[in-house]
Amino acid sequence: MPLHRFAQDRGSVAAEFAVTMPAVLLVLALSVGALGAAVHQVRLADAAADAARALGRGEPVSSAGALSAQLAPGSTLTTSSEGDLVCAEVSRPWALPGGRATGIRLAARACALGGGR
């Protein structure tokens, strides 16, 4: 092979790297964002379960709300009754790292037997 043939390819690796790097960064950012959303969803599920158990024991809504706010800061608690069950729904808006709002609201709901009434 003549040496001048490789001279035509000079800089192609840098150009390909420059083209693919934004796509790699986008996939990485989306992956980190999805992982963050999953972590928040688990926190909300834990908070909803604890709030439902507290309501089932007969504790006041304010106490269950304080418990859910402690486990999932910035969340709101909504309660309801369905027959013998008391239900708690904990939700909060999800923001990207750095505080950028997404317009997505994450929520989790749990119910417990209301035997403490």
Side-chain angles (χ1 to χ4, degrees):
M1 269 190 238
L3 187 58
H4 63 69
R5 185 167 174 210
F6 292 115
Q8 294 171 353
D9 292 338
R10 187 178 201 117
S12 64
V13 172
E16 291 169 2
F17 180 76
V19 169
T20 59
M21 187 51 97
V24 169
L25 290 176
L26 179 64
V27 169
L28 182 64
L30 289 174
S31 299
V32 169
L35 182 62
V39 167
H40 286 299
Q41 186 65 36
V42 168
R43 284 184 185 163
L44 290 175
D46 287 345
D50 287 352
R53 283 193 295 272
L55 292 170
R57 288 190 303 264
E59 294 182 24
V61 175
S62 60
S63 175
L67 180 62
S68 67
Q70 180 182 7
L71 293 173
S75 64
T76 57
L77 173 67
T78 306
T79 62
S80 62
S81 294
E82 298 174 7
D84 289 343
L85 298 176
V86 289
C87 299
E89 182 174 320
V90 181
S91 64
R92 72 177 294 238
W94 177 59
L96 294 173
R100 262 198 196 306
T102 61
I104 298 172
R105 190 158 190 85
L106 300 175
R109 185 170 189 261
C111 297
L113 188 60
R117 290 188 239 160

